[in-house]
Amino acid sequence: MRKIFGVIVLLIVVFFARPLWEEPVGKYIDLGFLDSIDQAIEQVKSDSEVTEALDGARAFTDRIGSQLQGWILETSTEMPEAVDKPDLSETDSLFAVHNVTLGMSKEEAQQKVGLPLRLMQNEYGTDWHSYHQDYQNYVLLSYNQDGQVNGMFTNQDLISSTEGLTMASTQSEVRDALGTPLKHLQKGNIQYILDTRDEYDMYKIDDVYVTVFYDVHEEKTVTALQVIHSELEEKRDKIYAEASEDLQESYEFLLFELTNAARIQRELPLLKWDEATRDTARKHSRDMADNQYFSHTNLDGQSPFDRMNEDGISFFLAGENLAYGQYSSIFAHEGLMNSMGHRENIVKPDFGYLGVGTAFNKDNQPYFTAKFFNR
């Protein structure tokens, strides 16, 4: 009799723990059979001994539920210690990033930003040198053959300008200061129309190309800045870089870094890179590029979760972002941040891991698949 009662109590505990497991499990298993358990629970409530067990089960699952959720997030996410932002000095250049300006020597620049943590090939044929402290004070710099800065990027509050522009500036303020943005970009014999959708403006000012990105969900204030020397920009004879394994991997890691740089600004835990999920993401990007479609559901009808399960990736929470046709990971990330559904994945505090996979079609257009999850 005691064994039977123990089994009943165990079933009751599992039943009341449903909020912890029902939603993720329900994506893959028909839980309709629980309806009969609901009815059975209601029927035994009249028994005083079982009612006491029910009350105990409720209290137990409430207690371990909050502890379990806290443990899951604590062990799969990371919130680093805050570091100070540098004092931004006045600049004689149109723009400075972390007090670095175009033409500055690599030695002088790295006195300001430290040593690079990663080098990633970019669409200009050079490398982005990535500088940050746990993704705080995040800066990308490119250097020419003489070791001088010829490209800069940041998506954090590290901008100073002779025009008084900052990350708090609005699109209208930027246009008042810099004038009318470019409508097209000449590459070789082809003139590419810039389909900015008011999400970014590109300018050619003297010997500098400036791209200002805006956050459409935050009153179109500046959210990122890219500054490229004209020699570097004009040496790029096509809008899309030639596909290669190095560029593929660089685009993947850069999208990962940009995601964490956006999260840390919002005081969200950093995501950890996941190699297995990168492989799953790569396969989906490759499939879309080869078969000329763009969808979370592949041609076999598999969802993002189906593909993760097929590859043996365990998770209790997952999401997927897709991007296609942007010129680089920077443009892809900024576009995703301006799409509310994709933005929610990027800034979701419950995610702990990210794998990014890219592939290129025959026209060298990149496909990006970013898979967020927690286990």
Side-chain angles (χ1 to χ4, degrees), residues 68-339:
L68 179 61
Q69 294 288 358
W71 178 81
I72 288 171
L73 294 178
E74 180 182 352
T75 56
S76 61
T77 58
E78 179 183 353
M79 192 66 199
E81 293 184 6
V83 299
D84 292 334
K85 191 184 82 168
D87 292 329
L88 300 179
S89 58
E90 293 184 4
T91 179
D92 294 330
S93 300
L94 178 62
F95 283 103
V97 173
H98 203 304
N99 298 319
V100 175
T101 58
L102 292 183
M104 184 177 287
S105 71
K106 184 176 182 179
E107 291 75 16
E108 186 178 356
Q110 291 190 163
Q111 287 177 1
K112 302 176 184 297
V113 297
L115 295 176
L117 300 182
R118 181 181 280 131
L119 272 63
M120 297 165 286
Q121 189 178 119
N122 59 38
E123 66 272 29
Y124 299 101
T126 63
D127 288 329
W128 282 126
H129 295 235
S130 172
Y131 304 90
H132 58 89
Q133 300 89 41
D134 289 323
Y135 296 97
Q136 299 166 83
N137 299 329
Y138 186 80
V139 175
L140 299 175
L141 297 179
S142 167
Y143 302 96
N144 63 19
Q145 293 181 342
D146 296 324
Q148 296 173 317
V149 176
N150 63 0
M152 309 185 296
F153 171 85
T154 187
N155 61 353
Q156 297 186 358
D157 188 13
L158 300 170
I159 299 170
S160 50
S161 169
T162 54
E163 299 297 326
L165 298 173
T166 69
M167 296 291 278
S169 301
T170 64
Q171 184 181 62
S172 61
E173 290 171 338
V174 171
R175 291 179 175 180
D176 286 344
L178 302 184
T180 303
L182 298 176
K183 299 299 181 185
H184 63 268
L185 197 59
Q186 189 79 28
K187 293 296 175 187
N189 296 323
I190 302 176
Q191 193 175 78
Y192 292 91
I193 297 174
L194 296 174
D195 183 19
T196 68
R197 303 179 187 179
D198 267 355
E199 295 181 6
Y200 68 90
D201 287 330
M202 183 180 289
Y203 296 91
K204 169 72 186 308
I205 302 174
D206 296 328
D207 58 353
V208 178
Y209 282 86
V210 176
T211 305
V212 185
F213 297 91
Y214 305 105
D215 192 326
V216 301
H217 301 295
E218 295 183 7
E219 300 179 346
K220 288 194 175 181
T221 51
V222 176
T223 188
L225 176 75
Q226 179 174 278
V227 182
I228 303 293
H229 195 280
S230 59
E231 288 184 2
L232 183 60
E233 180 63 64
E234 291 165 7
K235 189 167 63 175
R236 182 172 62 132
D237 60 352
K238 297 179 181 178
I239 199 73
Y240 293 109
E242 193 73 27
S244 68
E245 290 185 6
D246 285 344
L247 189 65
Q248 177 187 34
E249 185 173 89
S250 294
Y251 276 9
E252 291 166 347
F253 280 121
L254 181 51
L255 191 59
F256 171 78
E257 288 198 359
L258 293 169
T259 300
N260 269 335
R263 287 175 69 90
I264 201 67
Q265 291 181 89
R266 293 160 176 81
E267 299 183 351
L268 297 172
L270 296 177
L271 301 175
K272 294 181 175 65
W273 176 262
D274 189 78
E275 190 68 22
T277 314
R278 187 255 287 270
D279 293 339
T280 301
R282 268 190 179 183
K283 287 190 291 187
H284 188 56
S285 290
R286 178 79 273 150
D287 188 37
M288 290 190 294
D290 288 347
N291 293 291
Q292 302 179 45
Y293 75 95
F294 185 66
S295 173
H296 292 286
T297 303
N298 68 16
L299 300 181
D300 294 325
Q302 291 181 311
S303 72
F305 316 110
D306 294 331
R307 298 194 301 275
M308 292 176 73
N309 282 325
E310 184 176 67
D311 289 346
I313 298 168
S314 60
F315 63 95
F316 75 87
L317 180 72
E320 180 178 86
N321 282 356
L322 301 180
Y324 154 63
Q326 289 84 358
Y327 311 135
S328 69
S329 296
I330 289 174
F331 283 84
H333 171 74
E334 296 303 326
L336 290 168
M337 284 294 288
N338 279 331
S339 169

Side-chain angles (χ1 to χ4, degrees), residues 18 21-35:
R18 283 169 63 182
W21 55 263
E22 184 173 18
E23 182 177 353
V25 172
K27 295 177 181 177
Y28 313 105
I29 300 175
D30 183 2
L31 299 179
F33 69 90
L34 290 175
D35 294 340

